[in-house]
Amino acid sequence: MKNLIIIGIPRAGKTTLAQTVAREIGAAGHAVSVVSADALVGGLTQVYKRNLFYAGFIRPLKHVFRFLDRQYTARLIRDLHIMAGRFLNEQADVSTVIYEDAYLTVDRAIKLFDKKRFKIVAIGYPNANPDEKMTDIRRHDGNTPANRMDDAELRKFVDAMMDNSRRLAHDAKKCKIPFIDTSVDYRGAIDDFAKNVIKFLK
């Protein structure tokens, strides 16, 4: 069975999809591992903090000089995907791997993962009602950066993520990658995909 790469928009349901799919694969008797890019980023950030150049120069100044922030973020994402590519290929030898990542584009995912071993699915909410999405974030997100925004900031965030969802859906269609739309029926869209995941990964 092939492994699953989930790419998508923040708050679209990547983690819920990964957990739901893992239960289906486990119930079918297969060993399964779930890996989150956010967890790997957290680990990389801790490593960076031990670097004297980062701790003494980049970290204090990256919020003042935006180009330093952009450079830092680009390096972090680059290192994340180098590490993830190596780790997931090795982990795939011992279990079915489910990897969820908000930092991957469709093109980057296709280049990074061998299609003989991995299949890609994208998830987003291009047709969501912005007010309803804001309410869902307030209700379910807990202490996240999005939930700490005021209403104006959160609305701007949701609008931007809907635009990103539309671009992701377009790129997925162009590359013949399934796109899960959680705009209206969040749970139903995820469950529908998970029911057929064994067949999808064959």
Side-chain angles (χ1 to χ4, degrees), residues 71-92:
Q71 281 189 327
Y72 165 75
T73 301
R75 179 181 174 181
L76 182 66
I77 300 307
R78 182 200 67 199
D79 289 351
L80 163 69
H81 291 146
I82 291 171
M83 182 176 67
R86 174 67 181 270
F87 171 76
L88 296 175
N89 271 293
E90 293 190 9
Q91 185 63 24

Side-chain angles (χ1 to χ4, degrees), residues 156-175:
K156 187 176 180 180
F157 170 82
V158 168
D159 287 343
M161 293 304 102
M162 289 175 63
D163 285 342
N164 290 346
S165 292
R166 285 187 275 272
R167 283 192 289 272
L168 180 62
H170 173 269
D171 292 346
K173 183 177 180 180
K174 182 177 69 175
C175 296

Side-chain angles (χ1 to χ4, degrees), residues 73-136:
T73 301
R75 179 181 174 181
L76 182 66
I77 300 307
R78 182 200 67 199
D79 289 351
L80 163 69
H81 291 146
I82 291 171
M83 182 176 67
R86 174 67 181 270
F87 171 76
L88 296 175
N89 271 293
E90 293 190 9
Q91 185 63 24
D93 291 334
V94 296
S95 70
T96 299
V97 174
I98 302 166
Y99 175 64
E100 53 112 342
D101 189 322
Y103 311 100
L104 274 172
T105 63
V106 170
D107 288 343
R108 180 67 177 142
I110 289 171
K111 289 176 184 175
L112 192 61
F113 296 104
D114 182 357
K115 65 180 181 181
K116 294 178 181 177
R117 303 190 76 195
F118 295 89
K119 295 198 81 170
I120 303 166
V121 63
I123 186 169
Y125 43 94
N127 305 301
N129 178 302
D131 293 329
E132 291 178 0
K133 194 66 185 177
M134 289 173 64
T135 300
D136 286 343

Side-chain angles (χ1 to χ4, degrees), residues 142-192:
N143 187 27
T144 64
N147 213 358
R148 291 194 294 271
M149 297 175 183
D150 64 32
D151 286 347
E153 291 172 324
L154 183 58
R155 179 58 182 257
K156 187 176 180 180
F157 170 82
V158 168
D159 287 343
M161 293 304 102
M162 289 175 63
D163 285 342
N164 290 346
S165 292
R166 285 187 275 272
R167 283 192 289 272
L168 180 62
H170 173 269
D171 292 346
K173 183 177 180 180
K174 182 177 69 175
C175 296
K176 299 181 180 178
I177 287 171
F179 181 81
I180 301 170
D181 187 346
T182 57
S183 299
V184 179
D185 186 3
Y186 176 94
R187 189 73 242 186
I190 288 171
D191 288 343
D192 285 346

